[in-house]
Amino acid sequence: MRNYLSAECFKAFHRRYFYTALAVCLVLEGVLLWGYWLTLNWGNPDVNFSFAATTLSFLLSVGLYATLITGDIVFSDQHRNNTLKNEVSYGLPRVRIYLGKLAVSILAALIAAAVMMGFYLAGCWLLFPHDAQDAQGWALVGYCLAGALPLWLAAQAVVIACYFLVRSATLAAFLAVGILGVVPSVLQVLGLLFHPAFELLRQFTPSVMLDSLRNMAFDGSYLGLCWISGLVWFAAATALGLFLFRRKEIR
């Protein structure tokens, strides 16, 4: 398994795709910081470190859909290029293939998240004035990231399952977006039309929980629910994906 992980890491982190996508995200963060800095210099007294840093709480859903990119970086359209078929034909266990790519996609996502968060927060710290609210700002950022992490991991598991099971990378991406973004809306409609149980299920979907995190700030029980829900989604997506992949005919 270690050799397989090393090979997958080498492929993933030697692709320009990873660094190009990360650079684009950093440029967009820079534009956001520049916008806040301009408003500060134009006389807006409300812009300070705490205000700028806690903007992250409104952008948590970006990480949910960014898993499409990290999943694609690792999976790299292997159905079309027949590289997945080659790995299976070579005799590599399908469990190793599946879990190895999932692990490397998670590693890529964590590295990208750490770089992006570090860049943005360092920019906030250097560019904006500080006051007594700094501690509260750091606490809110920490709380939101702690709750978002398991939900992002759940999304990554869903994305990898879709890439493994759907031959077309485009259709796989649409399926993942449907599961993560459309299913909650469908459950909401079903809850209104048929039974409140559907609305209850909707509350435990990753996208809804991410949107609710900032409104549940410092609620330890909700943080625990995020971890439980995220781990359940992660385990279910991984188990289902692995089960179907082991039985899937690779052409």
Side-chain angles (χ1 to χ4, degrees):
M1 185 63 169
R2 184 178 64 181
N3 292 337
Y4 186 78
L5 288 174
S6 297
E8 288 296 311
C9 284
F10 181 85
K11 289 191 297 182
F13 296 116
H14 280 76
R15 296 190 67 197
R16 290 183 180 179
Y17 183 6
F18 176 76
Y19 300 101
T20 301
L22 183 57
V24 169
C25 292
L26 293 178
V27 168
L28 293 175
E29 287 186 340
V31 171
L32 180 60
L33 289 170
W34 179 67
Y36 281 146
W37 182 81
L38 280 180
T39 61
L40 174 65
N41 283 270
W42 287 343
N44 186 346
D46 295 326
V47 177
N48 55 22
F49 168 78
S50 178
F51 173 84
T54 53
T55 300
L56 285 175
S57 66
F58 295 92
L59 302 175
L60 296 177
S61 293
V62 174
L64 195 74
Y65 299 104
T67 56
L68 292 166
I69 297 175
T70 50
D72 188 50
I73 286 170
V74 173
F75 200 81
S76 188
D77 214 356
Q78 291 198 303
H79 286 299
R80 186 179 66 181
N81 298 327
N82 287 325
T83 50
L84 187 62
K85 180 180 179 180
N86 293 339
E87 290 183 20
V88 174
S89 300
Y90 186 74
L92 292 174
R94 294 196 182 199
V95 174
R96 183 186 305 173
I97 294 171
Y98 190 97
L99 295 181
K101 293 187 189 303
L102 175 60
V104 175
S105 68
I106 290 173
L107 178 62
L110 291 176
I111 290 174
V115 171
M116 291 170 61
M117 297 298 174
F119 174 80
Y120 183 78
L121 291 173
C124 291
W125 184 263
L126 294 173
L127 292 174
F128 304 117
H130 301 271
D131 56 26
Q133 295 181 329
D134 282 7
Q136 184 177 3
W138 280 116
L140 180 60
V141 169
Y143 175 86
C144 289
L145 293 181
L149 178 59
L151 302 172
W152 288 341
L153 294 179
Q156 191 68 76
V158 170
V159 167
I160 287 295
C162 292
Y163 278 128
F164 265 98
L165 301 177
V166 179
R167 186 168 180 82
S168 168
T170 302
L171 291 178
F174 274 110
L175 177 61
V177 170
I179 294 172
L180 296 172
V182 178
V183 166
S185 298
V186 173
L187 290 173
Q188 185 177 34
V189 173
L190 293 175
L192 292 171
L193 294 177
F194 299 108
H195 197 279
F198 290 107
E199 176 61 25
L200 180 61
L201 289 175
R202 175 179 173 271
Q203 297 303 315
F204 294 99
T205 56
S207 61
V208 173
M209 297 198 80
L210 279 173
D211 289 339
S212 301
L213 255 177
R214 62 179 176 271
N215 298 322
M216 304 296 292
F218 312 119
D219 185 338
S221 61
Y222 193 77
L223 190 63
L225 282 177
C226 288
W227 275 91
I228 293 172
S229 179
L231 293 176
V232 168
W233 273 85
F234 182 89
T238 302
L240 181 61
L242 187 54
F243 175 81
L244 294 177
F245 176 61
R246 291 180 68 180
R247 286 155 178 77
K248 179 180 176 65
E249 180 181 354
I250 307 297
R251 294 178 290 139

